[in-house]
Amino acid sequence: MKPKEIALTATFTSLSVAFRVSKNAVTAVQFINIPLAFAFVSSVLFGARVGFLVGFLSYALSDLIIFPGAWTLVNATLAGLFASFYRWVYHPGAGKTFNFVATYILVFSFDILTSAILYVLFGVGPLEAFLTGLIGEFLPVMGGYLVGVGPLTEGSTSLLAILLIEELSKRKV
């Protein structure tokens, strides 16, 4: 890696970890997926490799501080892969609506897939795990208690990523 890529990866990862750990000190409820938003921004602005590393390292390092478990490897790996893929999803000329919807769909898919994989790891069958992950986006399942937190999280995460990409692009960061 070039020194610039190392510095960008370290900067965006440390910002992501600091924000996630600070948020978790206040509440475990997630209304915005900060690691994924920063990973998406990094991927678009600095390349798929930097996006992958920011996504992976943000989850891995913040979970080591918060509370590691099987979800650490699942979330970290998928965040890195989704961020790498996002490099080819986001199109500056496509307009804000297209980019928001595309980002929303990707974050929604990330949330369902991470949940489904974790349910499978904990002994739930694949179809039931997928359906539980999907329903859990909207209604409380498996011990949850919040209604509609999934769409809110996907929307706020997508909005943050799009706004950061646009603002940092304007400033030629």
Side-chain angles (χ1 to χ4, degrees):
M1 286 182 74
K2 298 175 186 170
K4 181 179 179 181
E5 286 179 321
I6 294 169
L8 291 167
T9 301
T11 300
F12 277 88
T13 299
S14 61
L15 282 170
S16 180
V17 169
F19 279 119
R20 185 165 185 240
V21 170
S22 298
K23 189 272 311 167
N24 257 46
V26 176
T27 180
V29 178
Q30 176 176 283
F31 292 109
I32 187 165
N33 189 329
I34 294 169
L36 198 57
F38 278 122
F40 283 3
V41 171
S42 300
S43 184
V44 169
L45 296 179
F46 311 114
R49 179 172 42 188
V50 173
F52 177 86
L53 288 171
V54 169
F56 184 87
L57 292 171
S58 294
Y59 269 104
L61 295 174
S62 60
D63 273 3
L64 286 176
I65 296 167
I66 297 167
F67 186 71
W71 52 84
T72 302
L73 187 57
V74 171
N75 288 344
T77 302
L78 288 178
L81 292 173
F82 272 67
S84 294
F85 179 68
Y86 188 68
R87 172 90 166 131
W88 293 278
V89 169
Y90 181 88
H91 295 286
K96 291 179 183 177
T97 303
F98 171 85
N99 285 321
F100 178 81
V101 170
T103 306
Y104 188 95
I105 291 169
L106 206 58
V107 177
F108 186 78
S109 300
F110 171 83
D111 285 347
I112 292 171
L113 191 57
T114 55
S115 295
I117 290 171
L118 287 168
Y119 289 138
V120 168
L121 290 177
F122 293 125
V124 177
L127 180 59
E128 184 182 350
F130 171 76
L131 292 175
T132 304
L134 177 62
I135 293 167
E137 289 291 304
F138 305 97
L139 300 170
V141 295
M142 299 281 190
Y145 60 94
L146 295 173
V147 175
V149 74
L152 176 64
T153 300
E154 280 100 30
S156 60
T157 301
S158 301
L159 185 61
L160 176 64
I162 298 295
L163 291 174
L164 284 173
I165 290 166
E166 289 181 359
E167 286 303 314
L168 291 172
S169 294
K170 283 181 194 174
R171 289 162 173 53
K172 304 209 187 311
V173 172

